[in-house]
Amino acid sequence: MTTAITVTPVRVATLLAEDERLPVYVHLIEHPDGRVLVDTGMTALHPAVADMDPQLEPLTEKGIDLGSITAVVNTHLHFDHCGGNHLFAGTPVYVQRQELADARTRDDYTIREWVDAPGMTYVEVDGEFELLPGVRLVPAPGHTRGSQIVVVETDAGPVVIAGDSAVWFGELDDPTTEGQRLIRSLQPHQVWLAHADEPWPAAS
C-alpha cells in the first residue's frame, strides 16, 4: 500500500535572499486515494516583495492537471507558499488554525489578498490530522507559530515535507526549534525543504 505513495518536488519560482537565489518548491503527493499539493508557490508579482526579485515558474505551466488535485496543504501562509492558492478555489485547503489567524491579523506577515483569494475553502486544523491513510499533518512551530509539516509513511521510512520548518540543511543537522527537533525525532528517511533542490538525507 505505502509503496504507491510518491512525493514529487515541483519548482515554481526563485527568490533573491541575501544575495543568493533560492528555489521555491511545492510538493505533489500521489496517493491511491487522491492527489495532494503541499504549498502553492507564487503565480504573480507583488510590490511588497519586489526586493526579492521573484522569478516565476508558475504551476500553470508545469503540465500538472490542477483539476485533479483533491486537497491542498499549506505548511504556512507566507507569500511564497500560498500565492497559488487562488488556483484551487473550491478545493479544500488544510492549514493550522493558528496559522490562518496569524495570516489574517498580523501586519507584515504575508500578502493577505493571496490568502483570502475568492472561493478559498480553508479547513482549519488543530494539531495532528490524518489527511489520507499514511499521510498526516503535524504541527511544527518555529518558522511561524502555526507551521505544520506533512509526514508520508513509505516502506523506506517517513518522508517529511517540511515547508520552511528548516530553510537550510544545517538547521536539521543542528536543530534549534520545536519543529526542527520534531522532524529529527521522526527519524525520517528524507526531508523535502521548500528552498532546497535536493532532500535532506537523514543519513547525514
Side-chain angles (χ1 to χ4, degrees), residues 1-2 5 31-33 130-136 153:
M1 158 67 188
T2 51
I5 309 177
H31 188 285
D33 297 337
E130 184 176 68
L131 184 62
L132 292 168
V135 178
R136 60 195 169 104
E153 299 298 339

Side-chain angles (χ1 to χ4, degrees), residues 26-95:
V26 303
H27 293 85
L28 181 63
I29 301 172
E30 302 269 12
H31 188 285
D33 297 337
R35 301 182 95 198
V36 179
L37 187 69
V38 182
D39 291 328
T40 61
M42 300 173 66
T43 58
L45 302 176
H46 193 284
V49 294
D51 59 322
M52 300 184 78
D53 185 32
Q55 305 287 319
L56 304 182
E57 305 170 27
L59 267 173
T60 48
E61 297 169 14
K62 293 296 178 178
I64 297 169
D65 176 9
L66 300 185
S68 72
I69 301 297
T70 52
V72 173
V73 175
N74 284 132
T75 58
H76 62 298
L77 290 170
H78 284 165
F79 71 93
D80 53 328
H81 295 258
C82 73
N85 280 18
H86 67 95
L87 298 171
F88 301 97
T91 301
V93 180
Y94 292 81
V95 66

Side-chain angles (χ1 to χ4, degrees), residues 147-170:
S147 284
Q148 63 183 356
I149 60 173
V150 183
V151 182
V152 180
E153 299 298 339
T154 74
D155 288 348
V159 171
V160 174
I161 304 171
D164 284 352
S165 293
V167 178
W168 320 100
F169 286 174

